[in-house]
Amino acid sequence: MAFGINREELTRWKKAVSAGEIAFLTHYWLDPRFPGMTTVTKVGCSDLTRLTHWCEENGLPAKYIHNRSPFPHFDLLGPKQAEILRKEGLWEQLERFKML
């Protein structure tokens, strides 16, 4: 279950993903398979080659890309999520979702 984002943010993410950009969308998220995790960042890109390369550059296993047309994405969780958001300079997402 996702919450903590608005339609405008989701629309902006979908537009960027569809354009082949690497796009980040963080939201609150609860899933019993991942106890203690309260947020997820979806790193999306419709260009699977580009998304695969991005995963490899960041030490992430590309085999976990969710190849879901039209919005393929990789789910970032836990410490790696905050690390990459810092690396990408996405301070608003870090502050808003209390990952600082």
Side-chain angles (χ1 to χ4, degrees):
M1 171 192 272
F3 51 99
I5 58 171
N6 61 44
R7 184 173 306 279
E8 181 182 326
E9 291 169 299
L10 180 59
T11 299
R12 198 169 40 241
W13 181 82
K14 286 180 174 182
K15 185 177 179 180
V17 170
S18 295
E21 299 172 22
I22 298 291
F24 299 83
L25 180 69
T26 301
H27 59 79
Y28 289 112
W29 174 76
L30 298 174
D31 188 315
R33 296 173 299 163
F34 302 96
M37 301 292 167
T38 58
T39 60
V40 62
T41 298
K42 297 198 174 294
V43 182
C45 184
S46 61
D47 180 338
L48 284 175
T49 301
R50 186 173 184 193
L51 184 56
T52 298
H53 184 68
W54 182 89
C55 286
E56 291 167 353
E57 284 179 340
N58 286 282
L60 300 166
K63 69 180 182 178
Y64 293 116
I65 290 173
H66 298 277
N67 189 2
R68 296 186 183 140
S69 184
F71 306 110
H73 65 278
F74 185 94
D75 289 335
L76 288 173
L77 303 165
K80 194 70 171 176
Q81 176 187 15
E83 173 190 323
I84 289 177
L85 289 174
R86 279 191 296 276
K87 177 183 172 191
E88 296 288 337
L90 298 170
W91 302 107
E92 187 276 332
Q93 291 185 36
L94 285 159
E95 291 173 7
R96 180 170 158 198
F97 295 98
K98 298 171 182 50
M99 288 185 268
L100 287 175

